[in-house]
Amino acid sequence: MAVSWRSWTANEGAKHIVLWLSANTVLFWKTFTLYCYGPQYYYLYKMLGLGLCLSRASAAVLNLNCCLVLLPMCRAVLAILRGSQKVMSRKARRLLDKSKTFHVACGVAICLFSVVHVSAHLANVYSFSLLYSEEFPSLNIARHKGEVSWCVCFAVPGVTGVLLVFILFLMFTASSHGIRVCSYEIFWYTHNLFVVFYMVLLVHVAGGALKYQTNVEDHPPGCLGSNWTGGSDNVCRAEPHFQAHFPQTWLWVSGPLCLYCAERLYRYVRSCGRVTVESVVKHPCGVVEVRMLKSGFTARPGQYIVLNCPSVSSFECHPFTLTTCPTGTEATFGIHMRVLGDWTERFVELLLSEDSAETETLPVVQRRTYPKGDWQHYKLRRLYFVWVCRELGSFYWFADLLCGLHQKLWQENRPDYLNIQLYLSKTEALQVCVGRQYQALSARLQVGRPRWPELLDDIGKSNKDKRVGVFCCGPKGISKALHQLCNSGRSCGTTFEYNKESFG
Amino acid sequence: MGKIEWAMWANEQALASGLILLTGGIVGVAGQFAGWQFAAYGVAAGVFVCLLEYPRGRRAKGTSVERTGQYCLTVCVKAFGPITRNYYVRAFLHAALCVPGGFMLATVLGCVCLGIASLIYLLAAIRGEQWLPILPKTETREKPRESIKEPPQNPPPRPPADLRRKRLEDVEGAAYVNPIPVTGSED
């Protein structure tokens, strides 16, 4: 499928990736040339060569990425930024939605540049040993020429370096998609080793193995020694003095680390409040709606909550999108939870005890206060709601809400505002019987999977030269197909902006 | 909560260790550092471990996500039968492979990482996990149903008997055109 440049840039050409790539490249190049040509590193470069430049340049990039990698995970901060409508433009909000991708990009960069850094330092260790400098003993790490490289490694930077690689190895191998799908706990517990990683990193950079020359004016590099008897201007006035750098990493890393720790503390304090389960409603197809109350809790449509039930599991936390948000009149909030997996099974078992007489099998009608009349305030002009389910019973989860909304829009003479399309993907052994009160939905029910290209074409033709936001919540197959379709240019001049739900 | 499949993590670790061992070996050989023979061994062992660990095993429960282009290696690894299926064998193999890497600085990281992978494989083996190949499901073709070989046993449906009775008084009216042309039998 051909990719349209305009559609591609609307979806992928986020400025932050370009900015991040440029920052990494510039930092790498500047540091590389500094260590290659800088006069204060002349003698060190003579000893270590390319290994010095590569190791320091990769260290600079590692500083930047270790600083940036924590920022996308400050979810409370990002939620506040994203929610402040006056400050943030739509493009900036979409950028914030990609925070998890940015975190992964920084993580991958850390791994790649760690490989470069370790390889270059391996070469440096050998160079320190073989090219031990008799002329400038303070420049050396090795204690004598030809010292076994093992011993060179037992200095603080060496030991901490090995420990850092070990932790990074554990974190990286447990972060692949397969592990996160199969055993999320392994991913979660190894990823929390980041605390140890940062602590060891702060010690690693304090080693001071590489030194720079402080008195370049008095002793220009390559100057002739004081016992030079012939006349020349380039005579050394003093012996070179070497000093270890101040650990720059402390400046890079301490800010984001403190911010992230504050964020975790805030999340912990916020989670300490009591939550009351107001009602539990059983829906068809193994879905349970849980309505809860918590004092001081506010949320907006589209946000998700993370549930932790100590009676089920002390450490497990599971995200669920809010299906009912607290409003001014009603403080309850609710989620719809599909019972699939051991945590949800045990959680629902706990909630639905045997002698509970309050369980209902019909969905609860939700009373929401919708904006009255004046829809012009909202930028949204039309909403296409496409819902694909395997079984008919699934549509009952929100049938009342959809019918209620449809009815309201009809009464306000806005029938074209909401276009509902329901698809039943399981085509065998069908018996489509829908109650009379859901006639509006049964008229919009189609059997079979939706044909996404034709659907988007139709939407494009009806909304020429407009911007259409596509919000996908579903399996990877649909998400990928929609993403590709949004990137390919359809001929109507409509731009499709792709957004995916992800519990970032 | 729930059964953790340790073998999946051990597989990721072993693959990453193979790459680390390979990289360290290349650096050691390229720099011609002391003990570069161990680096050369690191290259060979790294390649072997990568090839062995690239095909992901099938999950006991749930859908398995296979790596790109792993089918050929799956077939090769499957061909070794119980040697590659059993995780005790893999654990001891990786433990043995990692030891020579510890004698040279360039390969020591690969050695440590492979050692950890070996321990996780041992844990997976103790929990009774084993490597099963992810193979595409061969669709069993339905046998084509036997065509009707025998002639029909019953005559074709006919109008009721009183209509079929010969109407001698009205021969013209009783005549009808056969919808299907009737030909006389040859014999």
Side-chain angles (χ1 to χ4, degrees), chain A residues 115 118-119 122-123 125-127 130 149-150 153 161-162 165-166 169-170 172-179 181-183 185-186 190 312-313 316 342-343 346, chain B residues 1-6 8-10 12-14 16-17 20 23-24 27 33-34 56 59 61 63 65 102-109 112-114 116-117:
Chain A
V115 172
V118 169
S119 309
L122 277 175
V125 162
Y126 283 107
S127 304
L130 297 169
S149 45
W150 277 104
C153 234
V162 170
V165 170
F166 172 56
F169 170 74
L170 288 178
F172 182 69
T173 51
S175 308
S176 71
H177 175 71
I179 299 287
V181 161
C182 157
S183 314
E185 299 92 342
I186 295 179
T190 49
V312 173
S313 169
E316 277 189 47
D342 36 22
W343 190 88
R346 279 190 59 183
Chain B
M1 163 147 274
K3 201 159 178 260
I4 294 178
E5 288 187 45
W6 294 99
M8 283 216 62
W9 189 28
E12 299 281 335
Q13 287 190 341
S17 313
I20 295 172
T23 313
V27 168
F33 300 133
R56 213 178 249 146
R59 277 179 67 192
K61 204 170 88 168
T63 46
V65 180
F103 290 103
M104 198 210 174
L105 189 62
T107 49
V108 80
L109 281 171
V112 169
C113 295
L114 197 57
I116 296 163

Side-chain angles (χ1 to χ4, degrees), chain A residues 63 157 160 200-209 245-250:
Chain A
N63 279 342
T160 50
V200 176
L201 180 67
L202 295 175
V203 176
H204 176 73
V205 298
H245 279 293
F246 173 77
Q248 265 193 359
T249 308
W250 292 356

